[in-house]
Amino acid sequence: MADTFTIKQGDTSPALARVLETAQGPIPLEVGDRVTFSMRRPYGGPVIVDRQPCQIREGNVVVYFWHDRDTAVPGLHEGEFQITRADGSIETVPNGGYLVVNVVETVA
C-alpha cells in the first residue's frame, strides 16, 4: 500500500514529516547529508515542487515545509525525497514508487 499524505488546497500546515526507509528498514542520515523533496502531477505531469530543501531532525526525521503554491492544485500528486550524501552519492526514496500527496479541494 502506498504511503499517502493528505493536505487541503492552499494550506501550508501540517508539514510533511517522514522517516525515510526502504524495504530493508530506516535509512540512517549522517552529518553532511542533504535531503530535498520533489512533487509532480501523476504520470509524468508537470513538476510542482522541484528539489526543495528539507530539515533533518533528530531520529532521522525529514521535514518539508509547504509553500502555498505547492498545494494550489487539488488532486493526487507523486512525491519523492532525494538524499545527497556528503560523498556525492544519491539515493531516492521511495525507490519503488512514489509518496502519494492528496491535495483536497477547498469548499470556497
Side-chain angles (χ1 to χ4, degrees), residues 68-107:
D68 57 356
R69 68 184 177 274
D70 298 344
T71 60
V73 179
L76 297 178
H77 300 73
E78 300 171 335
E80 62 187 20
F81 295 92
Q82 189 175 73
I83 304 165
T84 303
R85 302 286 186 180
D87 68 3
S89 62
I90 295 172
E91 183 173 1
T92 302
V93 180
N95 61 4
Y98 302 97
L99 165 68
V100 176
V101 179
N102 182 17
V103 178
V104 178
E105 188 174 15
T106 57
V107 172

Side-chain angles (χ1 to χ4, degrees), residues 46-66:
V47 173
I48 295 170
V49 178
D50 190 14
R51 295 187 185 166
Q52 291 298 306
C54 297
Q55 275 187 7
I56 300 173
R57 295 190 174 168
E58 191 173 324
N60 288 322
V61 175
V62 173
V63 182
Y64 176 68
F65 295 94
W66 299 101

Side-chain angles (χ1 to χ4, degrees), residues 4-75:
T4 301
F5 179 86
T6 301
I7 190 166
K8 201 74 160 199
Q9 182 181 14
D11 284 0
T12 57
S13 180
L16 173 60
R18 292 289 186 274
V19 173
L20 303 182
E21 47 189 353
T22 64
Q24 291 74 38
I27 298 170
L29 298 172
E30 314 269 330
V31 173
D33 290 349
R34 189 172 78 95
V35 178
T36 59
F37 178 71
S38 297
M39 184 176 77
R40 70 179 182 191
R41 294 292 291 164
Y43 310 110
V47 173
I48 295 170
V49 178
D50 190 14
R51 295 187 185 166
Q52 291 298 306
C54 297
Q55 275 187 7
I56 300 173
R57 295 190 174 168
E58 191 173 324
N60 288 322
V61 175
V62 173
V63 182
Y64 176 68
F65 295 94
W66 299 101
H67 303 275
D68 57 356
R69 68 184 177 274
D70 298 344
T71 60
V73 179

